[in-house]
Amino acid sequence: MNLIMNVIAIASVATASLAPSRAELPSLVIQNHRSVAFLQERQTLKDEYLGTDSLLQYFNQTSAELERQVAGLSEAQLQFKPASDKWSISQCLEHIIRSERMIFDMAKKGLNQDPQPERRNEIKLTDENLKNALTDRSQKYQAPKELQPEGIYKNVRTALTDFNAARQPVLDYIKKADVEDLRNHVSDSPTGPIDGYQALMFIAGHCARHTKQIAEIKADPNFPKK
């Protein structure tokens, strides 16, 4: 699981910039000398109370937004590239699908290891920090060779069928998972320690990132009308 962020190679810089500063903490917290760690502990307790419902909701949200963005697109629209060195929507879809499978496999390897509840206080990122970092399109990164897409999709139906096939095992896994067990599986990443819940969240966040990229392609002035 510690390879997840290395493989996708995003969020390390963006996440650091999103860490809460003392000036951003509520005045009451500052006056009482509360720490960022305290607030993160409160957030973790809240997430545990919600169980995996919040995580499933995020997956469903990102699935729905991807489907909304690509609905009704033609082959010409799927294959359009804003520039020779830019991806098409077809390539974005292919990259999302490949990544869903690879990141999930890596996450499961980490979750199959022994839990490390004693390391939970090492985690400095809240779930929202991680989401925001993953979807920050101001930071661009090069995908690794094995996740470089060719643009194989010529129709939306085939792409979404493959996407749903890649995502369903993740959803099935989350539905059976115990949230405390997920939180107790701590591993290292370029941004610092993350837990198993966040490792799975990475999958949906990565999808959301490239769904934003699809929206950017559609907004190009030369994007085909049909």
Side-chain angles (χ1 to χ4, degrees), residues 51-225:
T52 57
D53 289 348
S54 180
L55 185 58
L56 286 170
Q57 183 179 16
Y58 187 49
F59 269 85
N60 291 334
Q61 173 190 330
T62 55
S63 294
E65 179 60 14
L66 177 63
E67 292 178 9
R68 187 182 74 82
Q69 287 291 343
V70 302
L73 296 183
S74 67
E75 179 179 349
Q77 290 171 323
L78 288 173
Q79 296 292 336
F80 169 78
K81 299 176 69 174
S84 59
D85 62 339
K86 303 293 185 182
W87 283 359
S88 66
I89 293 177
S90 177
Q91 287 175 294
C92 290
L93 287 165
E94 185 180 348
H95 175 72
I96 290 170
I97 293 164
R98 288 188 187 183
S99 299
E100 294 260 327
R101 297 188 178 107
M102 180 174 287
I103 303 172
F104 182 44
D105 286 343
M106 291 179 177
K108 285 191 296 183
K109 286 181 181 178
L111 288 165
N112 286 335
Q113 303 299 317
D114 291 335
Q116 297 176 293
E118 69 278 4
R119 294 193 61 195
R120 285 171 62 159
N121 62 356
E122 297 178 28
I123 298 173
K124 306 304 180 185
L125 288 176
T126 67
D127 296 344
E128 286 303 312
N129 286 156
L130 183 59
K131 285 181 185 179
N132 292 335
L134 289 169
T135 57
D136 179 10
R137 290 283 299 158
S138 67
Q139 299 287 340
K140 304 296 175 65
Y141 303 88
Q142 185 73 26
K145 183 178 179 180
E146 59 268 39
L147 294 178
Q148 286 285 343
E150 299 175 6
I152 62 174
Y153 292 111
K154 298 183 178 181
N155 67 79
V156 171
R157 178 177 295 181
T158 301
L160 289 180
T161 296
D162 288 352
F163 170 75
N164 289 325
R167 176 152 287 195
Q168 190 59 50
V170 187
L171 299 177
D172 292 341
Y173 185 94
I174 294 171
K175 289 174 183 177
K176 296 177 182 178
D178 176 79
V179 69
E180 185 172 1
D181 183 60
L182 294 178
R183 294 292 186 185
N184 283 338
H185 280 81
V186 180
S187 64
D188 295 307
S189 80
T191 60
I194 60 173
D195 62 36
Y197 186 101
Q198 293 173 325
L200 293 170
M201 179 183 291
F202 193 99
I203 302 170
H206 177 264
C207 174
R209 177 182 181 83
H210 290 286
T211 301
K212 283 189 174 183
Q213 184 178 3
I214 289 172
E216 292 166 10
I217 297 170
K218 290 169 63 180
D220 187 280
N222 296 316
F223 187 70
K225 300 296 184 183

